[in-house]
């Protein structure tokens, strides 16, 4: 586990920046930790109730600074620490009016953190299709330090926090979050972390991070890494010949970008469903190819009928339409230069002539960035929204990896996020609280509120 920084780097670079904490990834997972380390700390207010009397007592005792509470005590008392925070942020399904929140925030002094990310604040939402809607209500997507209702009010949006939120609103929300909480000074976008390696466990910084930035290659050392690269940072590989043909694209934005009429969609999950539905409704002829059999796909469609875009897909499939052909149990074998695509189907090979191919086969967290550590213990996660990811096994009171001291997976990457769409934001308090404790923050005058 120990590496010499000079040897790790080959030759010593001119500068190595050191920070106490480096957050890799500026999606909602990374941003929540950043805001908390910046000093935006939660407190509990008004009347609130926890289902476990011992937890209620602890919450009362630490109501001014719950981050100071060692969450192992909550765990021992029988409540999952992520629930401890979720119950205050999302006590009910519907958005609570802001004056009924029992969670508030105060500004205390910051610790030394930096965030490195390829994308701007908001993570993958910056790159989703132009008209993308969420799977759940707007307020489920919020980071509590800046409620989405407040964002709507501040920006003159007459929108319902209980309604789905459009890309045009959620991306500005995350951008406004970073701006409002004064995070941008410590966020470096356009930075691709290429490697995270261990240094000494006994003395000096624990981690060495290498990144490609606009200014060239940079090195950083830090004591804590928050690993928030998101659930899709390593795209899945399509094993077919000719994936580099110019008519094959891996990032769907909008049907307007596709001048031709014949579109093939390869996938079978929610992103592929979105592209197939939108292209069909734009008047294209769509061939939709997926490896799965009809049953799981139709189950996903049936179970998603609360979403307008899935009601539309079900309607298209129930109509006697001729512009959407589904090839189940099928696999693309070759994309040919003339636009002919060879597909293996249960009935044998077929060839289809197309103008465009959209590949939407998802991805997985890029754990390969972590090099030289002992193997990570990963556990499979699936939720009711058919969200699937391999999560890092963590201490459930802190979300620190059980394998690597000082490494904290954020967002969905930690085991135990609960129902992913509303639970994972609260992991930020577990992570930041633990880091602050280990930095000795609560023993210092740092708790003084900032003027
Ligand atoms: C179409 C779609 C719809 C979805 N709908 C919902 C929904 O309704 N509700 C919900 O809760 N979730 C939904 N999700 C899941 C989505 O993953 C989360 O909403 C959220 O974006 C996850 O946050 P994150 O911070 O963990 O990861 P991400 O948002 O993926 O952010 C990770 C960030 O890390 C950066 N990064 C990755 N690798 C590196 C690297 N090597 N170096 C530097 N930076 C790196 C990326 O640039 C990215 O900005 C949806 C996802 C998709 C694709």
């Amino acid at each position: 586990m120990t590496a010499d920084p000079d040897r790790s780097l080959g030759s010593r670079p001119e500068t190595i920046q050191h920070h106490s904490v480096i957050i890799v990834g500026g999606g909602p997972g990374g941003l929540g930790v950043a805001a908390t380390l910046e000093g935006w700390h939660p407190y509990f207010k008004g009347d609130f109730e926890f289902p476990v009397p011992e937890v209620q007592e602890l919450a009362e005792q630490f109501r001014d600074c719950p981050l100071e509470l060692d969450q192992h005590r909550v765990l021992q008392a029988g409540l999952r620490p992520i629930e401890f925070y979720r119950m205050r942020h999302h006590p009910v399904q519907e958005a609570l009016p802001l004056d009924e929140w029992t969670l508030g925030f105060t500004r205390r002094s910051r610790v030394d953190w930096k965030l490195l990310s390829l994308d701007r604040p908001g993570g993958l939402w910056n790159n989703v299709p132009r008209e993308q809607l969420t799977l759940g209500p707007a307020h489920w997507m919020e980071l509590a330090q800046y409620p989405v209702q407040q964002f709507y009010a501040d920006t003159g949006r007459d929108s319902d926090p209980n309604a789905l939120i459009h890309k045009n609103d959620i991306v500005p929300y995350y951008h406004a979050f970073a701006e409002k909480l004064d995070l941008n000074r410590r966020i470096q976008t356009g930075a691709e972390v290429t490697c995270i390696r261990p240094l000494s466990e006994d003395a000096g910084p624990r981690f060495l991070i290498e990144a490609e930035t606009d200014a060239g290659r940079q090195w950083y050392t830090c004591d804590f890494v928050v690993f928030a690269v998101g659930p899709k940072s390593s795209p899945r590989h399509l094993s077919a010949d000719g994936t580099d043909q110019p008519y094959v694209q891996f990032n769907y934005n909008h049907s307007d970008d596709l001048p031709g009429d014949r579109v093939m969609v390869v996938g079978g999950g929610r992103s592929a469903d979105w592209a197939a539905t939108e292209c069909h409704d734009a008047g294209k002829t769509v061939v939709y190819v997926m490896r799965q059999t009809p049953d799981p796909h139709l189950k996903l469609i049936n179970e998603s009928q609360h979403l307008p875009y899935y009601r539309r897909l079900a309607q298209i499939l129930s109509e006697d339409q001729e512009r959407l052909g589904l090839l189940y149990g099928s696999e693309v074998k070759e994309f040919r230069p003339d636009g002919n695509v060879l597909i293996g189907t249960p009935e044998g090979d077929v060839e289809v002539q197309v103008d465009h191919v959209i590949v939407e086969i998802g991805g997985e967290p890029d754990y390969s960035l972590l090099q030289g550590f002992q193997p990570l213990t990963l556990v499979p996660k699936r939720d009711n929204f058919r969200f699937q990811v391999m999560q890092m096994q963590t201490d459930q009171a802190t979300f620190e990896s059980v394998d690597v001291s000082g490494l904290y997976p954020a967002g969905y990457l930690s085991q135990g996020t609960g129902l992913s769409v509303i639970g994972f934001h609260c992991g930020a308090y577990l992570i930041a609280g633990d880091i602050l404790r280990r930095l000795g923050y609560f023993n210092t005058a740092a708790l003084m509120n900032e003027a």
Side-chain angles (χ1 to χ4, degrees):
M1 285 281 286
T2 309
D4 175 341
D6 286 357
R7 262 208 336 241
S8 305
L9 295 169
S11 60
R12 182 174 270 281
E14 274 173 24
T15 54
I16 304 179
Q17 272 187 45
H18 178 80
H19 298 279
S20 295
V21 189
I22 290 200
I23 302 167
V24 183
L31 282 181
V33 182
T36 315
L37 294 176
E38 181 61 21
W40 299 99
H41 292 182
Y43 63 89
F44 296 159
K45 58 181 180 173
D47 292 330
F48 53 82
E49 205 177 316
F50 284 96
V52 181
E54 203 180 328
V55 174
Q56 179 71 23
E57 264 175 49
L58 287 170
E60 294 286 1
Q61 190 186 337
F62 287 88
R63 64 183 293 145
D64 292 338
C65 188
L67 289 179
E68 204 177 345
L69 168 62
D70 180 348
Q71 289 290 329
H72 292 100
R73 295 176 69 186
V74 172
L75 197 58
Q76 277 154 14
L79 188 75
R80 291 170 57 232
I82 192 154
E83 284 291 299
F84 178 79
Y85 284 109
R86 196 198 61 75
M87 283 174 173
R88 298 282 55 83
H89 183 196
H90 283 121
V92 288
Q93 291 282 98
E94 301 273 292
L96 278 183
L98 292 180
D99 58 5
E100 290 179 27
W101 278 39
T102 53
L103 182 68
F105 288 87
T106 189
R107 179 87 189 261
R108 297 201 175 96
S109 56
R110 57 183 299 275
V111 295
D112 173 27
W113 64 273
K114 184 169 183 87
L115 188 152
L116 304 171
S117 189
L118 274 164
D119 295 310
R120 295 185 65 196
L124 63 71
W125 287 97
N126 289 283
N127 306 318
V128 297
R130 199 164 87 198
E131 302 295 341
Q132 184 73 51
L133 291 163
T134 49
L135 297 169
H139 76 109
W140 287 12
M141 306 302 295
E142 79 195 353
L143 298 155
Q145 280 105 337
Y146 187 32
V148 96
Q149 293 174 67
Q150 190 60 53
F151 165 72
Y152 284 166
D154 290 350
T155 54
R157 284 170 160 84
D158 183 21
S159 306
D160 177 0
N162 290 306
L164 305 183
I165 180 167
H166 189 279
K167 178 184 184 180
N168 286 348
D169 295 319
I170 193 167
V171 172
Y173 164 71
Y174 289 127
H175 291 182
F177 180 90
E179 184 66 36
K180 181 133 186 136
L181 302 182
D182 201 16
L183 309 180
N184 284 331
R185 281 181 296 159
R186 310 184 200 288
I187 294 180
Q188 187 171 347
T189 55
E192 179 181 10
V193 169
T194 50
C195 183
I196 303 170
R197 276 182 270 178
L199 288 171
S200 168
E201 267 196 346
D202 313 321
R206 280 195 197 89
F207 299 98
L208 176 68
I209 294 185
E210 189 181 298
E212 295 294 340
T213 71
D214 296 340
R217 186 168 302 175
Q218 304 264 341
W219 283 270
Y220 304 86
T221 55
C222 61
D223 305 313
F224 302 99
V225 167
V226 178
F227 192 72
V229 297
K232 289 175 53 157
S233 45
S234 176
R236 255 179 224 123
H237 179 71
L238 182 67
S239 57
D241 292 331
T243 50
D244 56 350
Q245 295 297 341
Y247 63 89
V248 180
Q249 64 178 66
F250 289 81
N251 224 345
Y252 176 71
N253 178 43
H254 194 271
S255 58
D256 285 356
D257 304 336
L258 310 174
D261 283 335
R262 297 164 302 179
V263 178
M264 176 178 291
V265 177
V266 181
R270 291 188 185 277
S271 298
D273 285 345
W274 179 276
T277 308
E278 197 173 68
C279 287
H280 172 274
D281 283 352
K284 315 262 182 215
T285 299
V286 180
V287 177
Y288 190 2
V289 183
M290 63 189 91
R291 284 214 296 227
Q292 66 190 325
T293 54
D295 282 356
H297 188 230
L298 297 175
K299 186 165 180 277
L300 173 67
I301 295 170
N302 285 337
E303 287 175 354
S304 304
Q305 289 301 298
H306 57 290
L307 297 166
Y309 44 96
Y310 270 102
R311 286 200 293 278
R312 176 63 191 139
L313 179 55
Q315 187 188 17
I316 296 169
L317 295 180
S318 69
E319 283 167 359
D320 195 15
Q321 49 78 29
E322 291 175 349
R323 283 190 297 102
L324 179 63
L326 288 110
L327 292 176
Y328 287 112
S330 301
E331 216 165 343
V332 174
K333 292 184 171 176
E334 187 182 356
F335 300 104
R336 296 186 172 140
D338 59 358
N340 229 340
V341 183
L342 179 66
I343 308 159
T345 77
E347 283 79 41
D349 287 357
V350 294
E351 285 183 33
V352 180
Q353 183 74 39
V354 298
D355 300 308
H356 309 280
V357 172
I358 295 155
V359 181
E360 283 288 356
I361 55 174
E364 37 207 63
D366 192 356
Y367 292 123
S368 73
L369 295 173
L370 295 157
Q371 293 177 14
F373 298 95
Q374 69 180 78
L376 297 171
T377 313
L378 301 176
V379 287
K381 162 78 181 177
R382 264 166 194 265
D383 74 7
N384 296 343
F385 288 80
R386 220 171 96 158
F387 175 76
Q388 296 178 31
V389 72
M390 292 303 285
Q391 295 179 326
M392 242 188 249
Q393 194 175 0
T394 52
D395 176 340
Q396 290 298 286
T398 62
F399 279 8
E400 183 185 21
S401 159
V402 294
D403 302 303
V404 180
S405 177
L407 175 68
Y408 296 82
Y412 296 129
L413 304 195
S414 171
Q415 174 196 25
T417 43
L419 177 61
S420 51
V421 289
I422 49 175
F424 84 88
H425 304 307
C426 294
Y429 311 122
L430 306 188
I431 295 171
D434 195 50
I435 292 175
L436 293 176
R437 248 188 321 280
R438 290 170 73 175
L439 287 172
Y441 184 92
F442 299 116
N443 305 328
T444 67
L447 269 180
M448 300 290 292
N449 286 5
E450 283 225 330

